[in-house]
């Protein structure tokens, strides 16, 4: 995958730079000429390489047209703005000559720009259609090549024809060799050995000392205490070894080829061979580095695959064989093309490569089969040992490597198909199937490694214990769970990206990727909704702007809540109101900033709000009412956090006030969630508003013969002795009434708050009853009279 993207990146970057540098009108004219040439050349194109070149040119034309349109669109908007500034001509009036001339010039300029933009859109569409037609032709040729049948390798006629063409093809190879040798000798004679030797020295330095030192440095870091804890040590080291093992050999060859090309030692006929030599080196290095970082035969503890040492060493050798075979196959195909050998020689070479691939695949399958048998025997031995020791057997058998079973099944199917195709003479199909199996295995293994690395990196990077996680928690005020959730989301995004790259890499050999690039270009131009164009870059910038503003506002809220407000004279309720309002203002500011970055102005936002007003009036009426009520509660503060309120038959302490609801903790510690509109529209009793005091009332009756002065003194002593009773207002005792031989006593005392009434009153009851009992003062009890008829009494006669 890495090599595929590296090979395609220079073309895309070069096209983008050229598109940006040219004048839009001239660029559009040149793109039109190029498209006509491409359309004329498509009719005579007959080789896959020619069609690929034409497809690349069609994609370049499409990009040039899109670039020209994007460059002309701002100019058209500027002209429209200038025309709007001039205003409309009032009917019946004559405009000044200079204003009329300026209006005419602007209208002509606007017409030219609009026409050029329309031509650019039409040209981009035509280029896209031509690219699609070329892709269809390439698919057709690819299918025909796979279905082409030649003589079977078992047929003697094939080798007789090959023997006949060997001398001529050998002469062509000698001519190609002499061409390269002559160019090299001439270049060295003219420029000397300095540049080639310097390139060779740098290549050797990169390939051996630097590569080995970087690998050793990565292992030392992974084994040190500075490395991250957890699974990232292994997966990170594997990715590091993969990058070093791929890039260093590849760039070493790039440096060597560039040194030879700088002095003209590579003739034009061998330029493509030199390019394929670099690509083959990258691919072979990628395969060997991937096998090294996954198998790790010398360090089993760092191995990412479930393999034993024997299988790891065998598969490591086969990986070297696959890399070497891939390297040779790429070079042999290009050498045949550059030397223009006969078709029969090409067929024979393809047949030999296909047979070699199949032999390699069979050897790998044999090793996997042996590994599977070893794992089965080990699992059975464990079960037997548990049975002998009397331990309870597990309900399910020991789980083995599932990928080995899938690899064996796919390998057997592919080998059988390739062998049958080879025997029937479908050598192109056999070679393609064998190469695809090797390439598919490489891509899947690389994707599995990158998936593990993406997951480990995301979870470590956004872990609450990491530096980044701690910074996010301190900056934004998020809790640890939210940071971990962000890590999981980041892991999902990265894993989706890896899967898309793997799919592209798997499908790349089936055809040209220009169709995919064309779709990406269309997506990058944006999706137009009405008069607004949403581009991926704009969406990304809007999300980034929202996150930045939201993070800044969260940091400001945290500073306000934890640093500034505690140092003021405001109570907890006021501080909560300010903090809540600040939080929602921050969210509104972040949303508005993000919409502005997206290109949605306030006038468009006003239209959206007016369109939603109907829905708010019907379906969202209750939510809107609670929201407005919450703002009123936060502003007027009829109730605040810490107040003891009574609403209906429920009473408790207010714990939290938000813009939608208020949380009240009742006596059993449960939470009552009340919509804010209930607190605004209904009668509510605030027991603690305005520093309200708690009042204690004690009522009882004594007989008429009781010394009421002693009763009064005992009550006042009880009140004065209790530390919870306030001295001001002073306690008071009253005779409420005298009736039926009883004196009704009523007394009052005050405490610091309503919450203290219940406990203080209970203490006073205990003390009062004890003192009344010590003073022999009896309290009156209610008289309970029951009328019962005597059953023995004679009944009065009736009538």
């Amino acid at each position: 995958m890495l090599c595929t993207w590296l090979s395609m990146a220079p073309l895309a970057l070069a096209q983008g730079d050229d598109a940006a540098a040219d004048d839009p009108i001239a660029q559009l004219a040149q793109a039109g000429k190029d498209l006509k040439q491409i359309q004329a050349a498509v009719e005579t194109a007959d080789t896959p390489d020619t069609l690929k070149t034409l497809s690349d040119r069609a994609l370049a034309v499409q990009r040039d047209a899109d670039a020209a349109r994007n460059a002309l669109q701002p100019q058209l908007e500027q002209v429209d703005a200038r025309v709007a500034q001039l205003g409309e001509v009032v009917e019946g009036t004559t405009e000044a000559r200079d204003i009329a001339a300026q209006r005419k010039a602007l209208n002509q300029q606007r017409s030219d720009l609009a026409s050029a933009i329309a031509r650019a859109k039409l040209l981009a569409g035509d280029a896209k259609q031509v690219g699609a037609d070329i892709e269809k032709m390439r698919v057709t040729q690819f299918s025909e090549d796979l279905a082409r049948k030649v003589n079977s390798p078992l047929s003697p006629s094939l080798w007789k024809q090959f023997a006949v063409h060997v001398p001529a093809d050998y002469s062509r190879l000698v001519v190609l060799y002499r061409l390269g040798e002559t160019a090299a000798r001439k270049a060295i004679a003219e420029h000397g050995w300095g540049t080639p030797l310097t390139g060779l020295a740098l290549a050797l330095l990169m390939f051996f000392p630097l590569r080995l030192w970087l690998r050793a440095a990565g292992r030392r870091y992974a084994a040190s205490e500075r490395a991250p804890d957890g699974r990232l040590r292994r997966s990170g080291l594997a990715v590091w070894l993969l990058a070093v093992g791929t890039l260093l050999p590849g760039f070493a060859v790039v440096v060597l080829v560039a040194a030879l090309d700088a002095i003209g030692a590579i003739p034009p006929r061998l330029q493509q061979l030199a390019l394929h030599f670099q690509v083959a080196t990258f691919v072979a290095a990628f395969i060997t580095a991937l096998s090294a970082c996954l198998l790790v035969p010398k360090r089993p503890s760092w191995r990412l695959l479930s393999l034993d040492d024997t299988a790891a060493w065998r598969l490591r050798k086969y990986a070297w064989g696959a890399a070497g075979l891939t390297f040779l196959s790429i070079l042999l195909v290009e050498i045949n093309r550059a030397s223009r050998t006969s078709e029969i020689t090409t067929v024979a070479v393809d047949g030999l490569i296909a047979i070699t691939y199949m032999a390699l695949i069979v050897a790998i399958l044999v090793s996997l089969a042996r590994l599977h048998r070893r794992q089965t025997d080990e699992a059975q031995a464990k079960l037997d040992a548990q049975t002998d020791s009397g331990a309870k057997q597990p309900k399910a058998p020991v789980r083995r490597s599932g990928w080995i079973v899938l690899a064996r099944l796919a390998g057997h199917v592919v080998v059988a198909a390739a062998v049958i195709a080879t025997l029937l003479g479908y050598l192109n199909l056999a070679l393609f199937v064998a190469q695809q199996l090797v390439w598919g295995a490489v891509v899947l293994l690389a994707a599995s490694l990158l998936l593990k690395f993406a997951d480990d990196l995301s979870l470590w990077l956004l872990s609450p214990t990491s530096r980044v996680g701690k910074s996010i928690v301190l900056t934004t005020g998020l809790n640890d769970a939210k940071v971990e959730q962000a890590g999981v989301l980041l892991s999902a995004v990265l894993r989706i990206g890896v899967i898309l790259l793997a799919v592209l890499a798997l499908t790349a050999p089936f055809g040209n990727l220009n169709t995919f690039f064309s779709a990406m270009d269309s997506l990058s131009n944006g999706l137009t909704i009405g008069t607004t164009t949403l581009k991926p870059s704009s969406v990304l910038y809007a999300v980034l702007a929202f996150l930045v503003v939201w993070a800044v506002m969260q940091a400001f809220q945290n500073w306000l809540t934890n640093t500034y407000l505690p140092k003021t004279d405001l109570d907890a309720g006021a501080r909560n109101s300010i903090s809540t309002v600040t939080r929602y203002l921050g969210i509104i500011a972040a949303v508005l900033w993000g919409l502005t970055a997206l290109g949605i102005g306030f006038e468009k936002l006003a239209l959206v709000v007016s369109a939603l007003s109907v829905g708010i009036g019907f379906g969202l009426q209750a939510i809107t009412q609670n929201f407005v009520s919450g703002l009123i509660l936060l502003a007027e503060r009829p109730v605040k956090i810490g107040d003891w309120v009574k609403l209906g038959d429920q009473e408790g302490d207010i714990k939290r006030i938000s813009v939608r609801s208020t949380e009240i903790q009742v006596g059993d510690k449960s939470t009552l969630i009340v919509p804010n509109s209930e607190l605004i529209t209904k009668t509510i009793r605030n027991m603690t508003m305005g520093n309200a005091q708690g009042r204690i009332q004690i009522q009882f009756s004594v007989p008429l013969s009781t010394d009421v002065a002693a009763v009064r003194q005992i009550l006042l002593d009880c009140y004065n002795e209790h530390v919870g009773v306030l001295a001001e207002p002073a306690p008071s005792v009253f005779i409420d009434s005298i009736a039926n031989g009883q004196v009704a006593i009523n007394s009052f005392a005050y405490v610091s708050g309503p919450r203290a009434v219940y406990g203080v009153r209970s203490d006073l009851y205990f003390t009062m009853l004890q003192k009344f009992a010590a003073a022999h003062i009896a309290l009156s009890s209610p008289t309970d009279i029951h009328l019962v008829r005597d059953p023995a009494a004679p009944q009065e006669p009736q009538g």
Side-chain angles (χ1 to χ4, degrees):
M1 289 185 289
L2 177 64
C3 303
T4 303
W5 289 105
L6 284 175
S7 61
M8 293 181 292
L11 176 62
L13 292 176
Q15 290 173 346
D17 294 341
D18 294 341
D22 296 337
D23 178 68
I25 302 299
Q27 178 182 356
L28 195 60
Q30 183 61 39
K33 294 179 182 178
D34 293 341
L35 182 61
K36 292 181 180 179
Q37 295 176 1
I38 294 170
Q39 291 173 340
V42 167
E43 300 178 358
T44 59
D46 55 353
T47 62
D49 293 337
T50 304
L51 289 177
K52 184 179 184 306
T53 302
L54 293 177
S55 179
D56 293 339
R57 292 179 60 188
L59 179 61
V61 169
Q62 180 183 348
R63 289 176 172 173
D64 289 345
D66 290 335
R69 184 190 65 181
N70 294 333
L72 293 174
Q73 188 65 38
Q75 299 181 20
L76 179 62
E77 294 175 357
Q78 292 178 1
V79 173
D80 288 339
R82 295 182 63 185
V83 171
Q85 290 177 354
L86 292 178
E88 298 291 338
V89 180
V90 181
E91 186 177 356
T93 60
T94 302
E95 235 180 358
R97 183 175 300 177
D98 55 343
I99 300 297
Q102 187 177 4
R103 185 186 299 275
K104 181 178 180 181
L106 289 175
N107 288 332
Q108 182 62 39
Q109 185 179 359
R110 186 189 184 282
S111 177
D112 294 341
L113 289 174
S115 177
I117 292 175
R119 288 200 311 272
K121 293 181 180 179
L122 181 61
L123 185 60
D126 292 342
K128 185 176 181 180
Q129 184 60 42
V130 170
D133 295 339
I134 294 174
E135 184 62 24
K136 292 179 181 178
M137 295 176 63
R138 293 187 73 251
V139 171
T140 302
Q141 285 192 4
F142 179 73
S143 302
E144 292 176 353
D145 290 339
L146 292 182
R148 184 179 303 166
K149 183 179 180 181
V150 297
N151 294 329
S152 173
L154 301 179
S155 174
S157 60
L158 174 65
W159 301 107
K160 289 181 180 179
Q161 296 177 12
F162 176 71
V164 171
H165 289 82
V166 165
D169 292 336
Y170 178 74
S171 300
R172 294 187 180 98
L173 291 174
V174 172
V175 171
L176 185 66
Y177 171 75
R178 289 178 179 175
L179 178 64
E181 183 185 13
T182 302
R185 289 180 180 274
K186 182 178 178 181
I188 291 174
E190 183 177 355
H191 299 281
W193 286 93
T195 302
L197 291 179
T198 302
L200 179 61
L202 291 176
L204 293 176
L205 179 64
M206 295 172 64
F207 191 82
F208 287 107
L210 183 59
R211 179 175 62 90
L212 297 178
W213 181 81
L214 290 176
R215 290 177 59 184
R219 292 193 182 98
R220 287 195 302 269
Y221 178 78
S224 65
E225 297 181 353
R226 296 178 299 167
D229 296 331
R231 299 177 304 175
L232 187 59
R233 284 175 178 262
R234 291 200 307 169
S235 59
L237 176 61
V239 172
W240 172 258
L241 296 178
L242 177 63
V244 172
T246 301
L247 298 178
L248 268 298
F251 284 131
V253 174
V254 170
V255 170
L256 180 60
V257 172
L260 294 176
D261 192 39
I263 62 174
I266 303 177
R269 189 174 173 182
L270 296 180
Q271 289 288 340
Q272 287 296 320
L273 179 59
L275 177 61
H276 281 74
F277 176 59
Q278 299 174 47
V279 173
T281 304
F282 272 109
V283 174
F286 182 75
I287 295 174
T288 55
L290 181 64
S291 64
C293 65
L294 290 178
L295 299 176
V296 197
K298 296 182 179 180
R299 294 176 176 84
S301 60
W302 293 89
R303 191 174 300 151
L304 296 177
L305 300 179
S306 179
L307 300 172
D308 54 23
D309 293 343
T310 304
W313 278 107
R314 288 184 178 274
L315 292 178
R316 176 74 170 135
K317 296 177 181 178
Y318 295 142
W320 277 94
L325 185 58
T326 303
F327 181 82
L328 289 177
S329 62
I330 294 175
L331 287 185
L332 288 176
V333 170
E334 185 57 29
I335 289 173
N336 284 336
R337 190 199 64 80
S339 60
R340 303 183 181 93
T341 55
S342 61
E343 184 178 357
I344 193 65
T345 301
T346 303
V347 171
V349 171
D350 291 343
L352 290 174
I353 294 175
I355 293 173
T356 308
Y357 268 117
M358 285 185 285
L360 177 64
I361 294 172
V362 169
I364 295 175
L365 292 177
V366 170
S367 296
L368 293 179
R370 293 176 178 174
L371 173 62
H372 183 68
R373 284 196 298 270
R374 286 197 300 271
Q375 290 182 342
T376 303
D377 295 339
E378 292 176 358
Q380 188 62 39
K382 290 181 180 179
L383 290 177
D384 295 340
Q386 292 177 358
T387 303
D388 296 338
S389 62
K392 185 178 178 180
Q393 293 187 5
K395 296 181 179 180
V398 180
R399 205 176 164 190
R400 296 180 294 272
S401 298
W403 70 271
I404 296 179
V405 179
L406 294 177
R408 289 179 59 202
L409 179 61
H412 283 98
V413 172
V414 170
V415 168
V419 170
I420 294 173
T422 303
L423 295 178
L424 295 178
Y426 295 99
L427 294 181
N428 289 339
L429 178 61
L431 178 60
F432 178 77
V433 169
Q435 289 178 337
Q436 278 301 104
L437 181 61
V438 175
W439 175 244
V442 170
V443 172
L444 292 179
L445 289 175
S448 65
L449 171 60
L450 294 179
L451 287 175
K452 291 180 181 178
F453 175 70
D455 187 55
D456 297 342
L457 178 63
S458 301
L459 297 181
W460 170 80
L461 189 65
L462 294 180
S463 171
T465 58
S466 66
R467 293 183 179 179
V468 178
K470 292 179 180 178
S471 300
I472 293 176
V473 170
L474 293 176
T475 304
T476 63
L478 296 176
N479 53 25
D480 295 348
K482 294 293 181 63
V483 176
E484 290 180 352
Q485 292 174 11
V488 174
L489 292 177
L490 178 61
S491 172
V493 172
L494 294 179
R495 289 165 72 90
I496 291 174
V498 171
I499 292 173
L500 291 178
L501 286 178
V503 171
L504 288 178
L506 287 174
T507 56
F510 291 92
N512 196 8
L513 291 176
N514 285 344
T515 303
F516 171 77
F517 291 141
S518 177
M520 290 294 101
D521 289 340
S522 300
L523 180 63
S524 63
N525 290 329
L527 176 65
T528 301
I529 301 177
T531 58
T532 303
T533 301
L534 299 180
K535 297 182 179 181
S537 58
S538 300
V539 174
L540 182 62
Y541 177 68
V543 172
L544 183 62
F546 172 81
L547 293 177
V548 169
V549 176
W550 179 74
V552 171
M553 294 304 297
Q554 283 290 107
F556 175 72
Q557 184 197 9
N558 292 336
W559 172 82
L560 196 66
T561 305
N562 301 324
T563 304
Y564 177 72
L565 290 179
K567 294 180 173 57
T568 63
D569 296 333
L570 299 175
D571 55 18
R575 294 199 298 268
N576 174 76
S577 299
I578 295 175
S579 176
T580 304
V581 172
T582 303
R583 176 171 177 266
Y584 284 100
L585 287 178
I587 294 176
I588 294 173
V591 171
L592 293 178
W593 203 303
L595 293 176
T596 304
L598 199 58
I600 301 177
F602 290 102
E603 68 282 356
K604 298 178 182 178
L605 195 61
L607 294 176
V608 174
V609 172
S610 61
L612 291 177
S613 60
V614 178
I616 293 175
F618 291 96
L620 303 179
Q621 182 178 6
I623 297 177
T624 306
Q625 184 180 8
N626 289 326
F627 180 80
V628 175
S629 299
L631 296 179
I632 294 174
L633 288 177
L634 293 173
E636 294 186 357
R637 299 176 63 222
V639 293
K640 59 183 182 298
I641 291 178
D643 283 354
W644 182 21
V645 297
K646 186 173 183 180
L647 182 64
D649 59 347
Q650 299 287 341
E651 61 181 59
D653 298 322
I654 294 181
K655 293 298 182 182
R656 182 174 179 269
I657 300 176
S658 64
V659 294
R660 192 196 67 83
S661 62
T662 297
E663 297 178 4
I664 300 176
Q665 188 180 62
V666 295
D668 59 356
K669 301 302 181 182
S670 62
T671 301
L672 182 67
I673 300 176
V674 181
N676 288 331
S677 59
E678 296 287 322
L679 302 178
I680 295 297
T681 59
K682 292 187 177 181
T683 302
I684 181 173
R685 183 179 180 184
N686 193 336
M687 310 290 289
T688 56
M689 185 175 182
N691 295 325
Q693 296 174 346
R695 190 182 73 164
I696 297 174
Q697 181 180 13
I698 296 179
Q699 294 176 305
F700 58 92
S701 298
V702 295
L704 186 61
S705 60
T706 305
D707 186 359
V708 292
V711 171
R712 181 175 183 273
Q713 189 61 41
I714 290 174
L715 280 177
L716 292 176
D717 292 341
C718 292
Y719 287 141
N720 294 329
E721 291 173 0
H722 199 287
V723 294
V725 176
L726 299 178
E728 186 65 32
S732 57
V733 179
F734 303 96
I735 295 178
D736 193 54
S737 64
I738 301 175
N740 299 324
Q742 294 181 350
V743 179
I745 304 297
N746 194 1
S747 63
F748 300 94
Y750 294 88
V751 293
S752 58
R755 293 185 179 87
V757 170
Y758 191 83
V760 174
R761 184 172 56 191
S762 176
D763 294 340
L764 291 173
Y765 276 139
F766 279 110
T767 306
M768 181 188 72
L769 292 176
Q770 290 176 359
K771 289 190 175 185
F772 281 167
H776 304 287
I777 297 176
L779 301 180
S780 298
S781 59
T783 303
D784 189 8
I785 302 176
H786 296 272
L787 298 178
V788 180
R789 181 183 297 274
D790 187 3
Q795 297 183 356
E796 296 180 0
Q798 298 180 355

